[in-house]
């Protein structure tokens, strides 16, 4: 009996803004020869990274289906999917629940493309997914010009050495379904130079902080309380002792400018204001506790908790809208500050958003992080576009 045919699908998706102009790319590979059998890419308009990644997976699976005319034995073919999206790999492998309503129909569509096939999924680091990544970026570049991706003009295949693909076919067994540890070690990683490191300092307390009231950019713009000023001074002393901060950037809101000013005075630096780092506008919820919002605006609160696209009552900002401006501010900082350490004084939502985007985590992860007043987090951004979370919610300087 002949061995079932085997295919490798590499897929990726991207969004310039998350959400923003988005596209996907997918390639089907013969694992025995490393030959590219099919490519697919498309600009899909404004979407999130996760939507684009799922679209890339679906396109890759459809490309496999197109390579196989219906016939005896084809349903037993083995398809090994490799992606740098932990979310898609874990959800399609059945290890993570699919909670976001936008992801459920995409996952169901992906699962329905190749019924009867043996599908396995593997997470790979971004540097091993260059072919699909280039296709996705070519699609987004085309969309920026008002066009669609042209396969005849693609150069994605030139970025795709695959020494590990042929090894996949050394055995007649299917590749493992569990995500594998990245095969690129610390010593073998390319030299990308010093990253831009954003040290994220949440502002000190205001009178509203211990009361756990919504305090965004649409409210009263409160000043630091006495406790908040003490927290800012302690943070300033810690940064002065550490001596690594080279620049300070702050949200325009008063509590952040006061916190940043305390550090700047110790370090002898100026404070640059970045409007994109302001807190969410919570609309009619400004100044209210969670319980008070629940009593007055229960339906709106439920919608807000369920979807990043839902905005607070009264014309506030959705988490999706905040993510766009925070990502734009991040991109400006990273482009300008390569190789430097920048103290970014901002708020709960911008810091959580930067952490979420660095990890590629879903929007609901915003509700699963704790950020204390005057806490420190840090993210490093490398030249290849990857990010590394180095610290989260450190309050040791306040003890």
């Amino acid at each position: 009996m002949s061995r079932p045919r085997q295919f490798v699908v590499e897929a990726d998706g991207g969004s310039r803004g998350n959400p923003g102009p988005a596209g996907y790319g997918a390639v089907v590979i013969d694992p025995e020869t490393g030959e590219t059998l099919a490519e697919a890419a498309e600009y899909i308009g404004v979407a999130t990274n996760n939507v684009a990644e799922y679209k890339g997976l679906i396109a890759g699976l459809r490309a496999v289906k197109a390579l196989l005319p219906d016939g005896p034995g084809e349903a037993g073919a083995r398809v090994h999917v490799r992606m740098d999206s932990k979310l898609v790999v874990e959800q399609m492998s059945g290890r993570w629940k699919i909670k976001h309503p936008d992801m459920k129909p995409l996952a169901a569509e992906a699962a329905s493309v190749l019924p009867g096939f043996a599908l396995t999924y593997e997470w790979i680091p971004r540097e091993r997914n260059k072919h699909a990544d280039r296709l996705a970026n070519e699609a987004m570049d085309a969309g920026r010009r008002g066009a669609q991706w042209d396969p005849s003009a693609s150069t994605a295949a030139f970025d795709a050495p695959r020494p590990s693909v042929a090894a996949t076919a050394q055995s007649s067994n299917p590749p493992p379904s569990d995500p594998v540890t990245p095969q690129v070690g610390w010593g073998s990683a390319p030299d990308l130079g010093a990253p831009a490191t954003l040290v994220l300092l949440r502002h000190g307390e205001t009178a509203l902080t211990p009361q756990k009231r919504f305090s965004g950019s649409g409210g009263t713009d409160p000043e630091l309380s006495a406790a908040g000023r003490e927290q800012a001074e302690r943070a300033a002393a810690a940064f002065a002792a550490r001596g690594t901060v080279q620049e300070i950037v702050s949200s325009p809101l008063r509590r952040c400018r006061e916190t940043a000013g305390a550090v700047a005075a110790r370090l002898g630096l100026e404070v640059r204001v970045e409007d994109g780092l302001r807190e969410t506008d919570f609309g009619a919820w400004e100044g209210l506790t969670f319980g008070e919002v629940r009593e007055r605006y229960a339906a709106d609160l439920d919608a807000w908790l369920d979807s990043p696209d839902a905005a607070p009552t009264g014309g506030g900002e959705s988490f999706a809208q905040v993510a766009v401006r925070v990502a734009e501010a991040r991109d400006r900082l990273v482009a300008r500050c390569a190789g430097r350490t920048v103290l970014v004084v901002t708020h709960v939502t911008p810091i959580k958003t930067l952490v979420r985007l660095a990890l590629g985590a879903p929007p609901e992860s915003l509700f699963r992080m704790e950020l204390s007043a005057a806490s420190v987090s840090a993210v490093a951004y490398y030249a290849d576009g990857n990010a590394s979370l180095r610290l989260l919610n450190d309050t040791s300087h306040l003890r």
Side-chain angles (χ1 to χ4, degrees):
M1 178 181 290
S2 63
R3 191 176 68 182
R5 292 189 65 180
Q6 296 187 57
F7 300 89
V8 169
V9 171
E10 294 176 350
D12 199 10
S15 170
R16 294 171 179 171
N18 199 31
Y24 66 73
V27 56
V28 181
I29 304 158
D30 183 330
E32 295 192 5
T33 65
E35 176 188 1
T36 295
L37 303 177
E39 290 180 322
E42 184 180 6
Y43 172 69
I44 59 173
V46 174
T48 64
N49 280 329
N50 292 338
V51 168
E53 286 159 347
Y54 260 112
K55 293 279 190 179
L57 168 62
I58 293 166
L61 297 177
R62 285 177 174 168
V64 170
K65 186 174 184 179
L67 291 169
L68 294 173
D70 293 337
E74 294 294 12
R78 290 170 173 164
V79 180
H80 184 53
V81 178
R82 300 161 25 126
M83 298 181 69
D84 59 44
S85 170
K86 186 79 168 175
L87 176 83
V88 175
V89 166
E90 292 295 325
Q91 288 183 343
M92 292 304 298
S93 297
R95 288 182 289 271
W96 287 5
K97 291 183 179 179
I98 305 171
K99 297 181 178 180
H100 196 282
D102 291 346
M103 300 301 108
K104 290 181 180 179
L106 293 171
E109 184 177 358
S112 70
V113 175
L114 295 174
F117 282 54
L119 264 71
T120 54
Y121 289 85
E122 176 189 359
W123 178 86
I124 57 174
R126 185 176 178 183
E127 61 267 20
R128 288 175 54 201
N129 202 26
K130 287 186 176 180
H131 192 157
D133 177 73
R134 174 67 76 85
L135 288 169
N137 277 285
E138 287 181 355
M140 286 184 279
D141 291 342
R144 185 172 55 190
R145 301 190 300 269
Q148 279 292 349
W149 175 73
D150 179 3
S152 67
S154 175
T155 60
F158 298 130
D159 277 346
R162 299 188 188 92
S164 61
V165 173
T168 302
Q170 294 296 318
S171 167
S172 60
N173 295 321
S177 59
D178 290 336
V180 298
T181 301
Q183 297 178 2
V184 178
W186 292 109
S188 61
D191 183 5
L192 300 173
T197 301
L198 303 189
V199 179
L200 309 170
L201 174 62
R202 186 189 169 193
H203 61 79
E205 286 187 8
T206 72
L208 299 179
T209 307
Q211 299 175 24
K212 299 187 181 301
R213 295 185 179 276
F214 282 93
S215 180
S217 58
T220 58
D221 196 11
E223 63 182 355
L224 293 179
S225 64
R229 289 192 290 274
E230 174 64 21
Q231 291 168 339
E233 290 298 335
R234 292 195 177 204
F239 286 118
R242 201 169 299 171
T244 54
V245 170
Q246 298 166 285
E247 185 174 336
I248 302 175
V249 177
S250 173
S251 155
L253 298 183
R254 183 174 181 178
R255 52 198 181 272
C256 286
R257 288 187 287 107
E258 289 179 344
T259 304
V263 182
R266 289 282 190 118
L267 301 184
L269 297 173
E270 295 183 356
V271 178
R272 180 193 296 263
V273 171
E274 169 57 65
D275 185 66
L277 297 172
R278 69 186 184 277
E279 182 58 288
T280 307
D281 182 346
F282 290 113
W285 303 351
E286 293 278 359
L288 302 180
T289 65
F290 189 90
E292 289 168 343
V293 173
R294 169 68 71 192
E295 290 177 1
R296 301 180 194 185
Y297 309 106
D300 289 350
L301 181 62
D302 286 341
W304 181 73
L305 293 172
D306 189 56
S307 171
D309 296 315
T313 310
E317 287 181 290
S318 70
F319 283 139
Q321 291 172 318
V322 174
V324 170
R325 63 171 168 81
V326 168
E328 290 173 349
R330 173 205 62 195
D331 292 346
R332 288 192 292 271
L333 283 171
V334 170
R336 185 170 56 79
C337 301
R340 295 171 62 80
T341 298
V342 181
L343 178 64
V344 177
V345 186
T346 181
H347 310 263
V348 168
T349 308
I351 294 174
K352 287 185 176 182
T353 297
L354 289 168
V355 170
R356 177 182 78 77
L357 295 177
L359 295 176
E364 56 264 30
S365 65
L366 294 176
F367 299 114
R368 298 174 186 173
M369 297 182 227
E370 170 131 4
L371 284 176
S372 303
S375 64
V376 177
S377 304
V379 181
Y381 297 89
Y382 291 86
D384 65 350
N386 282 316
S388 175
L389 177 64
R390 295 187 169 180
L391 191 66
L392 181 65
N393 197 38
D394 178 25
T395 57
S396 58
H397 54 285
L398 302 177
R399 299 176 194 138

